[in-house]
Each structure stands twice: as structure tokens, then as C-alpha cells.
């Protein structure tokens, strides 16, 4: 086998398949999954649009994971997990750049299905940038995510003790951070999700978090559920009326923010939703919204959705309350 250096370990070429729909590349080892990440992220022709299939469960052994697909080189192919599990996935990123992070980073015109992931995702922002973070993918464009399940704990912390800019945003979802013109079907989240920021000045950040999808734009979310706690927290230390806390925070059991013909259909939330954001005394706080199904809706549709009564919601709920 041919090996290429990757994060101080070796990666390995696929042993079977040619990447076509009838003969997908077969992934049998962690080293081959790493090779997939390497060739897609480096823009190697043909690999970004190829077909891939897992042949067994994969243990990533807590090696740092880079994700598959970047903002520059999206994954545009087909990935079938064949109902296997990728365990001990570990993402730790102290970022000063806009990133898309998850098992997949950015997918575009892609199809990802039949996979469960376990592990942890931790993002610590050290500058004012936009970050997209999800268990399955950070950002999905024109894509389908089907029968995927997140069991990774996800935590995103904003830039501390500084003045945020209007560009400081975090989109966090158990399955997908930000989805546009996409479909997310038969997926679920089963681990805690949280975002947090703390500043000593003018906070103009946006934190959006959802059990399935953080921000959904013209996207269909169907037959999905969340059963774990979701938390968003932001605090401001300066008591100065010249500093306006312009933070915008949305948290939802299924979706944090749904807009532009997004449809949430037949979904259920059993996890508690908490928005604990505060402004310094005398400063102005933008609305902080938490909903059993959706934190905020704008020209979107929610049908056949429900959430438990003690979800801890404060605003838009978009579904019927039911007993736990």
C-alpha cells in the first residue's frame, strides 16, 4: 500500500473500488478514511465527486480529525456509511479563520447517508469570523443527508474578552451547522450541544444552535429528533450604555433559525433548550429566543412536530407540547 503523511500518522489508499456508483471506493480502515479526507481537501481531481462506502465500523482512536471537504474544496460525491459507526472522532480547533467542521466540512451537491458518529467536537474562536459546525457536516449546500446520527458532544466558544465584530457568527447543529437548499431526513442527535461567548465590550455576535440544524435556509427537515440538552450562553461584563449588546441568539430543539421556505415536518424534541444570554446593566440585549422545535421562524413551515413540556422554552416553539 502507498502511504502519505497525515497529521503525524499514515494514511492508506483504497483497496477496492473505482469510485463509480456501481463500484464505490471501499473504506475498511481509519487510514483509508483519512486518505479520503486528504484527497478531497487537497482538491485532487475526481475524488471530490466519487462514491464511497464503509465496509465496517471505524475507530479513529481520538486522532485529530480535519473533516472531509473544505470551503475551497467541497465534497460533492456520495458517501454511504452502510449503517456503520465512526467512533472516537475528535475535533479541536482554535480558529482565527472561517471554517466548516464536522465529519464532513462543507458538502455541495452531495449525498451522505447511513452513518453514526461518536466522539467530541470543540471549537474555540480567537478572532471574529463565521464558523459552521455540525456532527455530520459544518455546511450543506444543495445536498441530502439521510439516516445520519450524531453522538458527538459539540461545544463552540466565542472569542473572549474583546469586542466582537458583525462577522462573528457561529452556526451549530447536531447534524449540520448551516444548510441551504438541502434535505435532512431520518436523522437524530443524542449528545449535548452548546455555544458560549463572553466579552468586555460591544457584543455584536450571532449564535445559532439547533439539535438537527443550526440555520436552515430553504431546507427540508423531516422525521428527525433530538433528545439531549442544548445551551446557548453569552455574557457582557462592561456596564457602559455606549456599548450595546447586539448579540442575537437562537436555540431550537430541531432548528435554531428557519427561513425562506424551510419545512420542518414530523420532528420531535425531548431535550431541554436553554438560552442563558445576558447583557451588562444599562446595555441593550437583542431578543434571545429558545423553542422546543425552532428558536425563530421566518417564512418557514412547521407541521406534525412536538416537544416535551419541560423543554425550558422562552419563545417560538413551532410544535405541540406533549408529556415527557
Amino acid at each position: 500500500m502507498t502511504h502519505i503523511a497525515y497529521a503525524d500518522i499514515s494514511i492508506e489508499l483504497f483497496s477496492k473500488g473505482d469510485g463509480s456508483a456501481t463500484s464505490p471506493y471501499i473504506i475498511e480502515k481509519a487510514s483509508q478514511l483519512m486518505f479520503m479526507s486528504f484527497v478531497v481537501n487537497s482538491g485532487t481531481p475526481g475524488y471530490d465527486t466519487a462514491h464511497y462506502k464503509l465496509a465496517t465500523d471505524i475507530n479513529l482512536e481520538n486522532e485529530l480529525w480535519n473533516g472531509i471537504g473544505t470551503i475551497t474544496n467541497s465534497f460533492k460525491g456520495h458517501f454511504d456509511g452502510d449503517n456503520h459507526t465512526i467512533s472516537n472522532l475528535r475535533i479541536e480547533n482554535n480558529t482565527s479563520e472561517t471554517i466548516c467542521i464536522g465529519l464532513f466540512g462543507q458538502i455541495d451537491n452531495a449525498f451522505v447517508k447511513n452513518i453514526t458518529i461518536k466522539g467530541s467536537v470543540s471549537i474555540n474562536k480567537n478572532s471574529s469570523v463565521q464558523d459552521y459546525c455540525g456532527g455530520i457536516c459544518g455546511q450543506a449546500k444543495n445536498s441530502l443527508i439521510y439516516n445520519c446520527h450524531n453522538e458527538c458532544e459539540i461545544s463552540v466558544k466565542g472569542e473572549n474578552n474583546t469586542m466582537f465584530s458583525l462577522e462573528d457568527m457561529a452556526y451549530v447543529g447536531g447534524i449540520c451547522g448551516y444548510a441551504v437548499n438541502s434535505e435532512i431526513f431520518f436523522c437524530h442527535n443524542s449528545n449535548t450541544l452548546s455555544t458560549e461567548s463572553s466579552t468586555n465590550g460591544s457584543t455584536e455576535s450571532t449564535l445559532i444552535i439547533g439539535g438537527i440544524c443550526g440555520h436552515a435556509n430553504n431546507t427540508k427537515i423531516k422525521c428527525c429528533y433530538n433528545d439531549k440538552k442544548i445551551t446557548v450562553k453569552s455574557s457582557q461584563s462592561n456596564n457602559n450604555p455606549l456599548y450595546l449588546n447586539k448579540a442575537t441568539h437562537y436555540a431550537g430543539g430541531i432548528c435554531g433559525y428557519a427561513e425562506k421556505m424551510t419545512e420542518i415536518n414530523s420532528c420531535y424534541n425531548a431535550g431541554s433548550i436553554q438560552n442563558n444570554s445576558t447583557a451588562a446593566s444599562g446595555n441593550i440585549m437583542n431578543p434571545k429566543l429558545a423553542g422546543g422545535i425552532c428558536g425563530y421562524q421566518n417564512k418557514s413551515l412547521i407541521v406534525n412536530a412536538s416537544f416535551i413540556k419541560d423543554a425550558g422554552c422562552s419563545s417560538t416553539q413551532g410544535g405541540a407540547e406533549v408529556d415527557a
Side-chain angles (χ1 to χ4, degrees):
M1 290 293 178
T2 300
H3 294 77
I4 301 174
Y6 180 92
D8 298 325
I9 59 177
S10 61
I11 61 179
E12 189 171 310
L13 292 175
F14 311 112
S15 54
K16 300 177 183 178
D18 59 14
S20 66
T22 56
S23 181
Y25 290 124
I26 301 299
I27 297 174
E28 300 174 310
K29 304 175 183 178
S31 56
Q32 293 172 334
L33 191 66
M34 293 170 185
F35 178 69
M36 176 186 176
S37 172
F38 176 83
V39 291
V40 171
N41 295 356
S42 62
T44 306
Y47 285 104
D48 59 335
T49 57
H51 293 247
Y52 301 84
K53 186 175 183 179
L54 286 191
T56 186
D57 293 345
I58 299 290
N59 186 346
L60 290 176
E61 299 182 349
N62 290 310
E63 295 285 351
L64 281 177
W65 180 247
N66 292 335
I68 302 168
T70 67
I71 294 175
T72 303
N73 296 307
S74 302
F75 176 68
K76 303 175 183 179
H78 289 66
F79 180 88
D80 183 3
D82 199 29
N83 296 310
H84 290 295
T85 297
I86 296 176
S87 60
N88 291 315
L89 180 148
R90 181 170 69 98
I91 296 173
E92 294 180 2
N93 198 316
N94 298 319
T95 179
S96 59
E97 300 178 354
T98 293
I99 59 170
C100 295
I101 203 71
L103 174 64
F104 289 83
Q106 179 169 285
I107 63 175
D108 192 348
N109 286 292
F111 186 11
V112 177
K113 64 180 181 179
N114 304 331
I115 188 67
T116 296
I117 61 170
K118 299 181 179 181
S120 64
V121 180
S122 176
I123 306 297
N124 290 296
K125 304 173 69 171
N126 53 37
S127 66
S128 296
V129 293
Q130 298 182 38
D131 291 329
Y132 306 87
C133 179
I136 300 301
C137 74
Q139 182 165 229
K141 299 180 178 181
N142 313 298
S143 296
L144 172 59
I145 303 172
Y146 178 88
N147 189 34
C148 292
H149 313 288
N150 176 60
E151 297 183 22
C152 290
E153 179 180 0
I154 300 176
S155 172
V156 177
K157 293 185 178 181
E159 183 185 5
N160 289 330
N161 299 318
T162 187
M163 291 187 181
F164 280 56
S165 76
L166 287 171
E167 294 302 314
D168 193 274
M169 301 179 181
Y171 304 90
V172 183
I175 300 299
C176 181
Y178 184 97
V180 57
N181 302 327
S182 295
E183 297 177 334
I184 304 173
F185 293 166
F186 298 99
C187 297
H188 89 269
N189 174 66
S190 288
N191 211 326
T192 56
L193 312 176
S194 65
T195 61
E196 181 178 351
S197 66
S198 174
T199 70
N200 62 7
S202 174
T203 303
E204 301 182 6
S205 63
T206 299
L207 304 177
I208 300 176
I209 186 170
I212 300 300
C213 184
H215 188 154
N217 182 335
N218 191 29
T219 289
K220 293 182 179 180
I221 303 173
K222 185 174 182 180
C223 298
C224 296
Y225 73 91
N226 168 68
D227 59 14
K228 292 299 180 181
K229 183 178 180 180
I230 297 172
T231 305
V232 57
K233 180 180 180 181
S234 177
S235 61
Q236 184 185 50
S237 59
N238 269 11
N239 180 5
N240 188 334
L242 297 178
Y243 289 147
L244 307 181
N245 188 316
K246 298 179 181 179
T248 303
H249 304 133
Y250 305 111
I254 299 299
C255 185
Y257 187 110
E259 67 167 339
K260 297 181 180 178
M261 303 308 294
T262 286
E263 178 182 333
I264 300 174
N265 192 330
S266 303
C267 293
Y268 177 75
N269 172 49
S272 66
I273 314 300
Q274 297 184 5
N275 193 330
N276 301 318
S277 302
T278 59
S281 176
N283 292 359
I284 297 174
M285 179 76 185
N286 274 6
K288 57 176 186 177
L289 304 177
I293 298 299
C294 187
Y296 184 76
Q297 299 169 248
N298 179 18
K299 298 180 180 179
S300 58
L301 175 66
I302 299 177
V303 295
N304 301 323
S306 59
F307 58 95
I308 61 172
K309 288 183 177 179
D310 60 348
C313 306
S314 63
S315 59
T316 304
Q317 298 171 348
E321 290 182 323
V322 297
D323 291 323

